[in-house]
């Protein structure tokens, strides 16, 4: 099939797959309003906004929430209590030293923040993978809804901070210099990324197996329901076993997440297991909506 025809077919396939989910989002009070109080709906709004770079920041600030810039964090890091709101696996892979951990999607997340607030009067700063990741924003939103004051978001994220101040981070629990850090961060991504349109075309092949690694709360719809398996990062052992099985069966492995950030940490684990047959979707579901579904 000619590439243009294939691209049109891919977009039609994507739009059909996503129709019900899109309609449910449009019917939600979150759509058409600016950052409602409900944190899950707020995430929906920001994920489908047209804000570039720091995609959710403009809406986040409009409702009186606060962000911390990288330079400010560098100057006042000892004045803040830092909380990593990503998954435990991501936290163990790369984190700011001495930061606390509370997974945003844990059922007792706000209870953990309340306990932390009781221990300190310092501003609490939530961080995640940054920029196109909304977990830090949603942590602050959830905190306000639970009556917890003084929670801000560091929305540049762990990767940008690690490049800015490598001496303050821990990679797999160890201190590293910047050169070593860069080598590790790039090793799992080199030559493995694929633009969303090409990814979507390949996903329709019988020779591929697609894996969705998003958290359950992020899965508003399945992008490739005829050819994908779901394994969240909380069940990394199952994901590894399934990828090994697909590889043994001669299938090309395609992996996508919400914003193209979590795949990096999964790559660390896969390479440690000796698995090289995997490719990521650049930008995750966010870019898929922008580049595939929204293209005329």
């Amino acid at each position: 099939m000619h590439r243009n025809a294939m691209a049109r077919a891919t977009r039609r396939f994507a739009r059909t797959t996503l129709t019900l989910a899109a309609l449910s989002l449009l019917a939600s009070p979150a759509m058409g309003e600016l950052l409602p109080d409900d944190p899950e709906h707020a995430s929906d709004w920001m994920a489908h906004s047209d804000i570039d770079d720091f995609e959710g920041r403009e809406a986040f600030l409009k409702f009186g929430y606060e962000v911390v810039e990288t330079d400010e964090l560098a100057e006042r890091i000892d004045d803040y209590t830092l909380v990593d709101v990503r998954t435990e696996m991501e936290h163990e892979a790369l984190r700011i030293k001495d930061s606390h951990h509370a997974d945003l999607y844990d059922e007792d997340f706000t209870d953990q923040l309340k306990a932390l607030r009781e221990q300190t009067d310092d501003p609490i700063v939530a961080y995640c993978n940054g920029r196109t990741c909304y977990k830090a924003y949603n942590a602050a939103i959830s905190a306000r809804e639970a009556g917890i004051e003084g929670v801000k978001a560091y929305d540049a994220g762990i990767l940008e901070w690690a490049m800015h101040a490598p001496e303050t981070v821990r990679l797999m629990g160890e201190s590293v210099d910047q050169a070593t850090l860069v080598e590790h961060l790039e090793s799992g991504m080199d030559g493995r990324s694929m633009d969303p349109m090409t990814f979507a075309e390949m996903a329709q092949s019988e020779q591929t197996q697609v894996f969705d690694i998003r958290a359950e709360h992020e899965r508003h719809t399945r992008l490739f329901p005829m050819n994908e398996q779901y394994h969240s990062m909380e069940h990394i052992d199952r994901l590894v076993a399934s990828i090994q099985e697909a590889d043994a069966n001669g299938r090309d492995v395609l992996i996508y997440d919400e914003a193209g950030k979590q795949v990096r940490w999964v790559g660390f684990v896969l390479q440690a297991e000796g698995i090289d047959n995997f490719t990521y979707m650049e930008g995750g579901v966010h870019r898929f909506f922008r580049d595939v579904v929204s293209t005329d």
Side-chain angles (χ1 to χ4, degrees):
M1 182 183 297
H2 190 276
R3 180 172 175 81
N4 288 338
M6 173 65 81
R8 289 193 295 272
T10 299
R11 287 194 290 271
R12 287 197 297 271
F13 168 80
R15 289 188 178 115
T16 300
T17 300
L18 296 168
T19 295
L20 292 178
L23 286 174
S24 67
L25 288 174
L26 288 169
S28 164
M31 301 302 290
E33 297 178 5
L34 288 175
L35 207 62
D37 289 332
D38 181 74
E40 185 173 346
H41 287 171
S43 177
D44 292 343
W45 189 95
M46 290 187 291
H48 295 83
S49 70
D50 294 326
I51 302 170
D52 294 326
D53 198 11
F54 289 94
E55 293 181 348
R57 179 183 280 194
E58 183 177 333
F60 185 73
L61 293 175
K62 281 183 178 179
F63 278 78
Y65 297 97
E66 297 182 59
V67 299
V68 175
E69 302 286 0
T70 297
D71 289 343
E72 179 185 353
L73 183 59
E75 292 175 3
R76 300 187 55 197
I77 191 167
D78 293 334
D79 298 330
Y80 293 135
T81 295
L82 303 179
V83 182
D84 184 350
V85 297
R86 302 172 300 156
T87 64
E88 183 176 0
M89 193 195 86
E90 292 171 286
H91 178 72
E92 291 299 322
L94 182 68
R95 64 180 181 273
I96 301 174
K97 70 176 183 179
D98 299 327
S99 61
H100 300 264
H101 175 251
D103 189 329
L104 175 66
Y105 293 135
D106 281 349
E107 291 184 359
D108 64 344
F109 174 72
T110 55
D111 290 336
Q112 294 180 58
L113 285 190
K114 286 179 180 178
L116 188 59
R117 170 50 72 217
E118 291 174 356
Q119 299 171 24
T120 180
D121 293 327
D122 295 338
I124 295 174
V125 177
Y127 71 89
C128 58
N129 286 318
R131 291 186 178 262
T132 55
C133 177
Y134 308 117
K135 287 186 175 181
Y137 297 139
N138 283 330
I141 294 169
S142 295
R144 178 185 287 184
E145 289 296 301
I148 306 168
E149 300 297 329
V151 179
K152 305 180 181 183
Y154 174 60
D155 58 355
I158 183 61
L159 293 175
E160 186 164 319
W161 176 256
M163 292 297 100
H164 183 84
E167 71 280 0
T168 69
V169 302
R170 296 293 179 264
L171 179 68
M172 308 302 287
E174 302 293 332
S175 300
V176 291
D177 58 33
Q178 190 172 57
T180 303
L181 180 64
V182 171
E183 180 182 355
H184 276 78
L185 293 179
E186 292 183 349
S187 65
M189 302 297 284
D190 286 348
R192 298 187 185 278
S193 61
M194 182 181 295
D195 68 89
M197 180 63 75
T198 305
F199 187 102
E201 292 172 0
M202 285 195 63
Q204 298 176 60
S205 169
E206 295 180 354
Q207 299 302 312
T208 63
Q209 178 63 63
V210 181
F211 292 90
D212 175 0
I213 65 169
R214 292 175 293 169
E216 183 177 353
H217 295 75
E218 296 170 329
R219 299 187 75 235
H220 303 302
T221 186
R222 298 173 62 186
L223 299 189
F224 312 103
M226 302 299 292
N227 189 27
E228 77 175 26
Q229 295 183 27
Y230 170 60
H231 295 283
S232 71
M233 294 176 63
E234 288 80 3
H235 304 290
I236 189 67
D237 291 344
R238 299 179 193 173
L239 173 64
V240 170
S242 295
I243 290 178
Q244 288 173 328
E245 180 180 359
D247 187 34
N249 291 331
R251 303 182 74 178
D252 294 322
V253 173
L254 304 180
I255 305 174
Y256 73 92
D257 61 8
E258 183 72 1
K261 301 291 180 65
Q262 292 176 312
V263 289
R264 185 185 300 272
W265 317 122
V266 169
F268 284 173
V269 175
L270 295 180
Q271 288 185 312
E273 294 288 336
I275 302 172
D276 291 318
N277 173 28
F278 57 95
T279 303
Y280 310 128
M281 184 197 294
E282 293 177 357
V285 174
H286 291 184
R287 276 197 57 187
F288 181 86
F289 270 94
R290 187 191 73 186
D291 294 356
V292 179
V293 179
S294 299
T295 303
D296 294 328

